Structures are given as C-alpha cells and as structure tokens.
Amino acid sequence: MKDTPKYLAIAEKLKHEIETGEYQPNDQLPKEFDLARSYNVSRITVRNAMKELESQGLIYRIQGAGTYVKERNLMHATVDSNQLELINLKKYKLKLLDFEVGQVIPKITEALNVQPYDIVYTIKRAAMATNKQLVAFQKICIPAKVIQGLNMEMMESSIYPLIQQKLNVKPAKATREISLVHADQDLIAKGEVKGQVEEKEPLLKWLQKSYLSGGRAFEWNENYYRITKFPIKEAIVL
C-alpha cells in the first residue's frame, strides 16, 4: 500500500488541530517557511497542504497578510442580524458620511440582481474610536425595491436589526471576500476619511454580500479596516 503523500499528511494534521480547537476561527496559521521547517519538507509541499485545506473550506488567505482559519458559519451560512455586522458597535461608534438614493455602477447592479435604472440606497459610514480616530469606513448599497423605507436617521446604528424588526424582512446568509488593498483617491475623497486616511495606506477589505431567506441579495457592503491602527486579527473578529 502506498504511503500517504506528505502534503496530505500535513493537511490532515492541521485539520485535526483546527477541529480540536488548537487553532481557533480567524487565528493566523504559521507561515509557509515555518511550517516547512517544522515538518522538514519543501515549501511547495506546504503550499499543496494549504490548497487542500482551502479546498475543504477550512482556511482562507489574505494576500500579503497570511493564512487564517475560516469561521465557516459566517463565511456562507445561515446567520442572524448580529452576525452580519462588520463593525464592533460595543467598541466603535458609527458616523454617517453620506446617504444617497439613485443608480449605482454596473458591478453592483449585477451583484444585487437589479436593473441599471433601479434605485439603490448608497450609505457611506465611518467607525470612530473613543478618541475620535477613524478605525474603519464602509460603503453599503441596498436596492430600494428589496428593502424599502430606509432613511438617514437609521444609519448611525446597525442596519440589520432595523430591517428585521421594523421592515419585517429576515437576513438569511452572507458571503465574504477578504483582501489586502491600498487606499487611493477614490476611497479617501469624502468627509472623515479624507482627513485621516493617507493615500496608499494598507487597508483590510471585507466585501460582504447578504441575502434574504428567499435567496434574494439585499446588500453589497465594502468595509475597510485601517490595519495600521490595530492588529489584523482584531479586524477579522469584529
């Protein structure tokens, strides 16, 4: 009988460590170089092990920032309204920067499955620390024909309990894509963001698409964390 390939043996060991809690959701795994040295294998072998774990939905990668244990019940699963919130509202305060009602760019209309002429709410908000320092900012797009009755007064608290309780619609699941980006003029052109975020500053971007129980997309949320102000892990577990 053939021996188990080394990359599968490493993947199985890491899987066991994840499933038994040695690595918690959103913990960063050791770097490829360190794993290769620990297991006395090549980095290619470690990379293949990571691909295996990724294909099983156990880990995710942030380009330039490392590999992390996936919190599977959040990345694509049934959720309640509190799980959709990307800002820790116990620690940070939301500040409304802009609230517009109109059309949006094609990639968002396609993601939300609306027509180019459909009306969409576009909400831009900042998350402020107690010292009034900007720690994150976000752009949220919600189609008006799916979620009706939003107004500016709702925008300095979590949107999700409001739409569930007041508008009687139930969020059901969300998908998230995570990447490391750098601020450009388009991102920092408005309000509090322009005054505090520097061009080319590294940002952790969470792109969240949220769906109702019937499968209808109701939210496109681009959330940017300023990772120079607090550890990446804190942004991940908000």
Side-chain angles (χ1 to χ4, degrees):
M1 186 171 66
K2 291 183 178 179
D3 292 337
T4 301
K6 288 183 178 179
Y7 81 92
L8 286 178
I10 294 170
E12 193 60 32
K13 187 173 188 306
L14 290 170
K15 178 181 179 180
H16 175 74
E17 291 170 348
I18 290 169
E19 291 181 339
T20 57
E22 186 169 339
Y23 291 111
Q24 293 292 316
N26 299 311
D27 277 353
Q28 184 174 8
L29 293 179
K31 295 178 181 179
E32 286 183 1
F33 175 82
D34 294 327
L35 286 171
R37 184 170 57 182
S38 175
Y39 289 107
N40 194 27
V41 295
S42 69
R43 291 184 66 177
I44 292 175
T45 299
V46 171
R47 197 167 296 132
N48 287 335
M50 292 300 183
K51 287 179 181 178
E52 177 64 23
L53 292 175
E54 193 170 20
S55 71
Q56 295 181 32
L58 293 172
I59 63 172
Y60 61 95
R61 305 183 192 216
I62 302 174
Q63 187 174 1
T67 303
Y68 297 82
V69 177
K70 182 180 285 189
E71 191 168 359
R72 283 171 285 173
N73 68 321
L74 278 181
M75 302 308 284
H76 194 161
T78 300
V79 295
D80 62 34
S81 58
N82 292 327
Q83 289 176 300
L84 292 175
E85 186 57 66
L86 295 177
I87 300 295
N88 183 352
L89 297 181
K90 294 180 180 179
K91 188 171 183 179
Y92 305 115
K93 182 178 179 181
L94 290 173
K95 181 173 183 178
L96 181 63
L97 302 178
D98 199 12
F99 182 85
E100 298 178 351
V101 181
Q103 298 172 355
V104 292
I105 60 176
K107 73 172 183 178
I108 295 178
T109 59
E110 182 178 352
L112 295 175
N113 194 27
V114 296
Q115 300 300 319
Y117 50 80
D118 284 338
I119 298 302
V120 174
Y121 300 104
T122 300
I123 303 120
K124 295 180 181 179
R125 305 190 298 186
M128 312 298 292
T130 53
N131 61 2
K132 298 185 178 180
Q133 184 177 67
L134 176 77
V135 296
F137 56 98
Q138 60 185 193
K139 175 183 177 181
I140 302 172
C141 295
I142 298 175
K145 69 180 183 181
V146 180
I147 306 296
Q148 301 173 1
L150 294 182
N151 58 60
M152 292 180 66
E153 287 69 33
M154 298 177 175
M155 295 302 116
E156 292 194 344
S157 60
S158 181
I159 295 172
Y160 311 108
L162 288 170
I163 65 174
Q164 185 168 342
Q165 296 165 13
K166 294 187 177 183
L167 306 180
N168 198 31
V169 292
K170 184 175 177 57
K173 66 179 181 180
T175 60
R176 292 174 178 171
E177 299 173 12
I178 309 168
S179 57
L180 190 65
V181 300
H182 291 83
D184 57 24
Q185 287 298 326
D186 289 339
L187 282 179
I188 62 178
K190 220 171 193 26
E192 296 288 334
V193 174
K194 185 175 182 179
Q196 297 194 51
V197 177
E198 300 291 335
E199 189 170 3
K200 297 184 179 180
E201 179 178 330
L203 303 168
L204 186 66
K205 176 183 177 182
W206 280 61
L207 172 59
Q208 174 170 285
K209 288 181 280 187
S210 305
Y211 302 83
L212 301 177
S213 55
R216 183 66 188 272
F218 79 90
E219 177 200 43
W220 169 284
N221 185 339
E222 296 178 7
N223 201 90
Y224 298 88
Y225 300 103
R226 302 182 68 199
I227 60 175
T228 57
K229 303 304 176 185
F230 52 92
I232 288 178
K233 185 176 178 179
E234 181 180 347
I236 291 172
V237 299
L238 288 179

